[in-house]
Amino acid sequence: MNSIYAMASLAAWHFSNKRFDLAEKEWRKILEDTRKIRGDVHADTLHAIGCLALSLYQLRRYGEAEVLWQEEVRGRSATAGPNHPTTLRAESYLATCRRMSGSDPSPVSRLLGKFFK
């Protein structure tokens, strides 16, 4: 796992320096390795999914990012619960991605509907 953490530091560095294409490549490797070691719904795997999705979002590859955020939301809902802050954060990113891609014109109202019924 130490090598995965080192790779994650490099990926985060690339992301913070707006080298999103390089960050994407690193997060893909990290996600593949983390899935093998930790499984599909471990917090580390879900974190890698979210980071890869964010890199893809920055590259304006909204369709790919949306699929990953959907997976992250499902995993976090199953493990942490639907109202956990990490689940809500992932849902927020997913809603923003859908709005930017034009695939869902009103994701914010659906997200707010969880709180104001």
Side-chain angles (χ1 to χ4, degrees):
M1 280 308 292
N2 286 340
S3 63
I4 293 175
Y5 294 137
M7 289 168 51
S9 292
L10 178 61
W13 185 86
H14 285 312
F15 188 91
S16 68
N17 285 285
K18 299 184 186 330
R19 295 177 174 180
F20 304 120
D21 55 332
L22 296 175
E24 176 208 351
K25 290 176 186 173
E26 290 297 321
W27 283 117
R28 284 195 188 279
K29 289 183 222 169
I30 293 162
L31 178 55
E32 181 182 334
D33 292 347
T34 305
R35 277 192 203 273
K36 288 178 189 172
I37 295 168
R38 301 278 194 196
D40 289 335
V41 292
H42 188 277
D44 291 344
T45 305
L46 297 172
H47 177 75
I49 290 169
C51 289
L52 174 56
L54 195 55
S55 296
L56 291 167
Y57 176 85
Q58 290 296 332
L59 292 167
R60 292 185 166 85
R61 291 164 54 189
Y62 301 126
E64 294 172 77
E66 183 176 338
V67 169
L68 288 168
W69 271 319
Q70 288 171 344
E71 182 181 355
E72 183 186 11
V73 167
R74 281 191 305 273
R76 292 199 183 278
S77 291
T79 57
N83 294 318
H84 191 275
T86 58
T87 305
L88 297 174
R89 178 193 45 82
E91 286 183 339
S92 174
Y93 284 145
L94 176 59
T96 300
C97 183
R98 285 178 171 163
R99 189 183 80 235
M100 293 300 292
S101 70
S103 67
D104 190 351
S106 60
V108 174
S109 61
R110 193 175 63 252
L111 185 60
L112 291 176
K114 292 181 85 169
F115 300 103
F116 304 106
K117 291 184 179 183

